[in-house]
Amino acid sequence: MAVALPGAGASQEQNPPLPPPRPDRPAPPEKPDGKSPVRESAEQNATDAGDPAAACIERLTKLGLRFEKRPPVQENACRIGNPVSVSALPTGIEVSPASLMECSFAEGLVRWVNEVVIPRTGEHFQSAPTKLLIGTSYQCRDQRSGAKLSEHAFGNSVDVMGFEFDKRPPLTVRVQPEGSPEAAFQSAVQKEACAIFSTVLGPGADDDHDDHLHLDMRVRKADYRICQ
């Protein structure tokens, strides 16, 4: 005669076996470390929000810039919190000489070259840019007026002296002959830079900027921009 153990039936009823997962609702695959893609994405977003400097460096890496991460700069009142030394842009355009700048400014420089310089070079010269010639990037100094520190003092600016190309002679930034392809190209890259940078000064603005394009990302109230 079979003997029923006390409480056995009740225990089985309280803890029935779990049914197998429905075939139309597979469990999300797990990575080798046991983290699901959703969890990993949430953790990455949290990391980016908590460390914007690291997030910027990661974006530059994904864009394909050639750069070196440098230690923070502190020189009197001048400083760069997240400096990088950029030697080439994602399209292989050389930055000459390699220039020290804030990571976020490097992102703006990439955007300007990709969205403005490359297409305007093709339009006006039927060519492609190969080199960006830089005069000044980081430099601990005041504005020329002496009113406050220059954006160069924060790695938030570059002075572009000229461009080199694959199918034509280099172009030096200056007052170009009226009606020439050089004048049309330079005017276009100067004016269209205003959609990306908060300050754009070049030939025609004043005597101090007749031989270069000054680009910076100074933060002003109500997103006020100076484009000359």
Side-chain angles (χ1 to χ4, degrees):
M1 170 187 280
V3 179
L5 296 175
S11 175
Q12 291 173 1
E13 290 178 357
Q14 292 174 2
N15 299 285
L18 295 175
R22 287 176 53 177
D24 61 334
R25 294 184 182 178
E30 291 204 348
K31 299 181 77 62
D33 60 2
K35 297 180 181 178
S36 70
V38 173
R39 179 181 174 188
E40 185 180 57
S41 177
E43 290 177 349
Q44 183 62 51
N45 289 339
T47 299
D48 290 355
D51 192 351
C56 183
I57 294 297
E58 184 175 351
R59 289 193 299 272
L60 292 192
T61 301
K62 289 180 178 179
L63 282 171
L65 274 79
R66 191 161 71 236
F67 70 95
E68 294 180 4
K69 176 76 177 77
R70 294 293 178 85
V73 173
Q74 185 69 56
E75 183 181 359
N76 298 320
C78 306
R79 64 186 181 277
I80 310 179
N82 192 21
V84 292
S85 177
V86 178
S87 55
L89 301 178
T91 47
I93 298 172
E94 184 180 349
V95 176
S96 179
S99 299
L100 188 68
M101 62 191 75
E102 176 66 42
C103 179
S104 57
F105 184 86
E107 290 185 285
L109 192 64
V110 170
R111 183 182 166 198
W112 176 61
V113 169
N114 285 349
E115 297 180 10
V116 178
V117 176
I118 292 175
R120 296 300 161 257
T121 301
E123 177 184 349
H124 296 290
F125 299 146
Q126 292 75 53
S127 184
T130 59
K131 187 179 292 188
L132 202 61
L133 304 173
I134 303 297
T136 304
S137 51
Y138 169 73
Q139 188 177 69
C140 186
R141 64 172 175 81
D142 292 339
Q143 291 179 315
R144 293 183 188 276
S145 64
K148 59 178 68 175
L149 283 172
S150 166
E151 288 302 293
H152 288 292
F154 305 105
N156 204 30
S157 177
V158 296
D159 291 339
V160 178
M161 311 304 293
F163 307 83
E164 291 187 9
F165 311 93
D166 62 348
K167 296 179 181 178
R168 57 152 288 134
L171 180 144
T172 299
V173 175
R174 59 186 178 86
V175 177
Q176 305 292 347
E178 187 174 352
S180 67
E182 290 78 9
F185 166 80
Q186 184 173 289
S187 176
V189 298
Q190 182 173 345
K191 289 178 180 177
E192 294 179 47
C194 295
I196 299 167
F197 302 100
S198 59
T199 309
V200 179
L201 301 170
D206 53 49
D207 291 342
D208 290 335
H209 297 91
D210 274 349
D211 63 352
H212 65 275
L213 297 177
H214 170 90
L215 311 173
D216 77 43
M217 287 184 168
R218 183 183 291 274
V219 176
R220 302 185 182 91
K221 293 181 179 179
D223 194 32
Y224 180 72
R225 294 170 184 248
I226 297 174
C227 299
Q228 299 174 359

